[in-house]
Amino acid sequence: AIALLGNYSEKGYNEVAKLEKEADNYEDEIGTYLVKVSMQELSDADSRDVTKILHSITDFERISDHALNIAQSAREMAEKKLNFSPAAQAELKVMTGAIDEIVGIAIGGFVSDSADAARRVEPLEEVVDELNTNIRAAHIKRLKDGECTIELGFVFTDLLTNYERVSDHCSNIAVYTMQLPSDKLDAHKYLAKIKNSEDGTFVDDFNMYSEKYSLNNI
């Protein structure tokens, strides 16, 4: 979906739309199946897996929704022959890099059941939030200075919103991977615990990602 922003094709758009429908179907079928499975006597390991997947599939499906939204923005830009300013393109490139990485880490941690990998998601999610705030502020300045049109502005802010929400869903998936086997999920308390950890890993990772995805580098 993100690739369509720089190189739009109907074939690519149709592929994203197809995958989004498949994700919807998977969520329904897997969810129905796991609810039935959860009613049986399960080992602790199986119960943990069922709980983890049940909590996560909605976030995976929502990521696919946002991917389709991004593809729709790419289609609109192609149809209307819209182009972002060089500054906006550079900012989106930074944000895209962060989103690519956070999706990869969250899914990789989920598939490998790696709490260590999942712990790297939250510092990057915080960086994405900061990027979103700073890029929006720069965009508003461009609007005021007449360097961006209202029409392009709507597309730009839609993209930022979808990127940021993908990041939020990655955070949720990481929490399910880290906090389980306890099925008493309290995401807010758990995230607070991670951020305030005494070993300093959250701060170190946050600083590393802040430098890697700094707007000062463009």
Side-chain angles (χ1 to χ4, degrees):
I2 289 173
L4 293 175
L5 291 169
N7 186 24
Y8 182 80
S9 70
E10 276 297 304
K11 180 180 178 181
Y13 177 88
N14 291 335
E15 181 65 15
V16 173
K18 174 188 172 187
L19 290 170
E20 191 275 331
K21 288 183 179 178
E22 289 183 1
D24 286 347
N25 291 334
Y26 278 128
E27 183 196 17
D28 289 341
E29 294 185 18
I30 294 171
T32 299
Y33 173 75
L34 289 178
V35 168
K36 292 178 181 178
V37 168
S38 66
M39 296 176 182
Q40 310 303 312
E41 281 196 28
L42 302 174
S43 67
D44 289 344
D46 286 342
S47 179
R48 178 184 182 278
D49 284 344
V50 168
T51 302
K52 170 186 163 184
I53 298 170
L54 271 173
H55 278 102
S56 300
I57 54 176
T58 298
D59 287 288
F60 281 120
E61 189 276 330
R62 289 296 294 140
I63 288 174
S64 78
D65 288 342
H66 293 301
L68 182 57
N69 291 343
I70 292 167
Q72 288 169 343
S73 291
R75 171 187 263 182
E76 180 181 355
M77 291 185 67
E79 289 177 346
K80 296 180 179 179
K81 294 181 171 54
L82 301 174
N83 291 293
F84 292 129
S85 68
Q89 290 181 37
E91 290 163 359
L92 277 178
K93 184 177 180 180
V94 174
M95 181 70 117
T96 296
I99 294 299
D100 276 341
E101 182 160 1
I102 198 170
V103 169
I105 296 173
I107 293 177
F110 177 88
V111 172
S112 64
D113 203 23
S114 170
D116 287 338
R119 283 190 188 93
R120 291 162 45 214
V121 169
E122 196 56 31
L124 183 49
E125 195 275 335
E126 292 276 322
V127 170
V128 169
D129 283 348
E130 285 199 359
L131 280 173
N132 184 46
T133 299
N134 293 333
I135 292 174
R136 284 179 186 273
H139 164 65
I140 290 171
K141 184 178 185 304
R142 285 193 294 271
L143 276 175
K144 290 180 177 179
D145 293 343
E147 298 172 6
C148 180
T149 66
I150 296 295
E151 187 174 32
L152 265 174
F154 283 131
V155 178
F156 191 72
T157 55
D158 281 347
L159 285 173
L160 290 178
T161 296
N162 282 290
Y163 278 0
E164 196 272 333
R165 289 178 181 170
V166 166
S167 175
D168 289 341
H169 290 297
C170 288
S171 175
N172 292 342
I173 292 167
V175 168
Y176 306 145
T177 302
M178 290 184 293
Q179 188 172 1
L180 294 168
S182 170
D183 59 0
K184 297 179 181 178
L185 293 171
D186 188 332
H188 293 296
K189 287 184 179 179
Y190 198 72
L191 289 176
K193 179 181 177 182
I194 294 170
K195 293 174 183 178
N196 296 318
S197 60
E198 294 181 359
D199 61 7
T201 54
F202 179 91
V203 173
D204 289 343
D205 286 343
F206 175 81
N207 290 336
M208 182 268 291
Y209 286 126
S210 292
E211 176 61 29
K212 184 175 182 179
Y213 296 111
S214 172
L215 296 177
N216 294 328
N217 296 332
I218 62 178

